[in-house]
C-alpha cells in the first residue's frame, strides 16, 4: 500500500481496509503526521495493528515533540494487553503525562466499533472491532468531528485504567 501521497488534513480520498496490515500501515502514516492529538477507541489494543515497534516509535516521537500533544486511549478489555505485554502499555507507562489509557464506563462497554481520530481531521474506522473491514480518510472533517465528540463523551465518563500503570517503588 503506497500512502506517500496521503497528507493529513489535505488528502480527501477514502481508503478501504480489509487486513490488519493495511490498518497498521494507515495508522502508522497518520500517527507520523499527527501534531496535536490521537484518540483511539479499541477493544484490546489489537496487537496485529498496534503492537509494533514502528507504531511505538511514532507515538513516542509524537508525544515528545510537543508538550501539548496527547494520546487518549479508551480500552474496552485491558486484560489481553496486560497478559501479552503490549508495547503501547509500556510506552504509556513511560510517557504517563502524554499518553493516557482509560476504561470506558459500563454503559459504553458494549460499543462494538473501533476507531482512531488524529488531529480532529483523519479517521480510521472499523464498524466491527473484531473484523478488519474498515475505512480510513486523511481528511474527513465532518466524520472526524463526530467521532471525536463521541470519543470525548465516552472519555468524560471513563476511568483511568490503573491496572496498566507502572508501580513506583
Amino acid at each position: 500500500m503506497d500512502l506517500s501521497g496521503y497528507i493529513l488534513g489535505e488528502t480527501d480520498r477514502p481508503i478501504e481496509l480489509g487486513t490488519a496490515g493495511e490498518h497498521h500501515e494507515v495508522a502508522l502514516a497518520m500517527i507520523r503526521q499527527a501534531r496535536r492529538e490521537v484518540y483511539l477507541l479499541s477493544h484490546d489494543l489489537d496487537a496485529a495493528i498496534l503492537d509494533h515497534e514502528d507504531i511505538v516509535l511514532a507515538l513516542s516521537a509524537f508525544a515528545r515533540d510537543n508538550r501539548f500533544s496527547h494520546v487518549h486511549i479508551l480500552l474496552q478489555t485491558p486484560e489481553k494487553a496486560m497478559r501479552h505485554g503490549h508495547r503501547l502499555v509500556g510506552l504509556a507507562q513511560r510517557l504517563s503525562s502524554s499518553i493516557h489509557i482509560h476504561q470506558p464506563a459500563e454503559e459504553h462497554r458494549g460499543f462494538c466499533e473501533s476507531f482512531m481520530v488524529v488531529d480532529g481531521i483523519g479517521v480510521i474506522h472499523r464498524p466491527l472491532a473484531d473484523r478488519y473491514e474498515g475505512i480510513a480518510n486523511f481528511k474527513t472533517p465532518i466524520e472526524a468531528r463526530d467521532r471525536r465528540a463521541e470519543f470525548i463523551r465516552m472519555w468524560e465518563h471513563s476511568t483511568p485504567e490503573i491496572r496498566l500503570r507502572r508501580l513506583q517503588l
Side-chain angles (χ1 to χ4, degrees):
M1 174 178 281
D2 180 17
L3 298 171
S4 59
Y6 286 82
I7 300 170
L8 189 65
E10 292 182 22
T11 309
D12 182 6
R13 235 180 350 233
I15 305 167
E16 288 189 26
L17 306 169
T19 68
E22 291 170 345
H23 277 277
H24 170 80
E25 288 181 46
V26 172
L28 181 61
M30 278 194 194
I31 293 166
R32 284 180 171 161
Q33 295 180 47
R35 295 291 168 253
R36 296 182 319 274
E37 62 189 26
V38 174
Y39 293 136
L40 173 65
L41 172 67
S42 176
H43 278 262
D44 60 5
L45 288 179
D46 193 321
I49 298 171
L50 299 169
D51 194 12
H52 295 269
E53 190 65 22
D54 53 2
I55 293 280
V56 171
L57 290 173
L59 279 172
S60 178
F62 164 71
R64 293 170 196 261
D65 282 349
N66 178 347
R67 66 185 178 114
F68 299 109
S69 64
H70 58 273
V71 178
H72 287 176
I73 300 170
L74 280 171
L75 182 56
Q76 299 270 9
T77 54
E79 294 79 17
K80 188 174 179 182
M82 289 172 12
R83 273 194 317 270
H84 297 291
H86 200 290
R87 292 178 184 136
L88 286 186
V89 172
L91 181 64
Q93 290 170 340
R94 290 190 305 278
L95 299 176
S96 60
S97 62
S98 300
I99 302 175
H100 307 276
I101 301 175
H102 281 205
Q103 188 168 39
E106 193 64 42
E107 68 262 21
H108 298 124
R109 296 229 179 107
F111 198 78
C112 66
E113 300 176 40
S114 178
F115 63 82
M116 183 169 77
V117 180
V118 178
D119 286 353
I121 194 77
V123 174
I124 302 171
H125 177 239
R126 288 188 292 163
L128 298 172
D130 61 346
R131 307 213 28 182
Y132 291 117
E133 290 81 16
I135 195 154
N137 196 324
F138 281 67
K139 182 185 178 188
T140 180
I142 294 170
E143 182 182 5
R145 180 198 64 211
D146 293 346
R147 296 238 177 258
R148 184 180 185 278
E150 182 175 31
F151 184 94
I152 290 171
R153 274 192 303 277
M154 294 168 98
W155 185 264
E156 289 171 348
H157 298 284
S158 68
T159 55
E161 184 45 76
I162 59 174
R163 295 175 291 176
L164 298 178
R165 287 188 182 162
R166 176 178 284 174
L167 294 175
Q168 303 293 329
L169 300 177

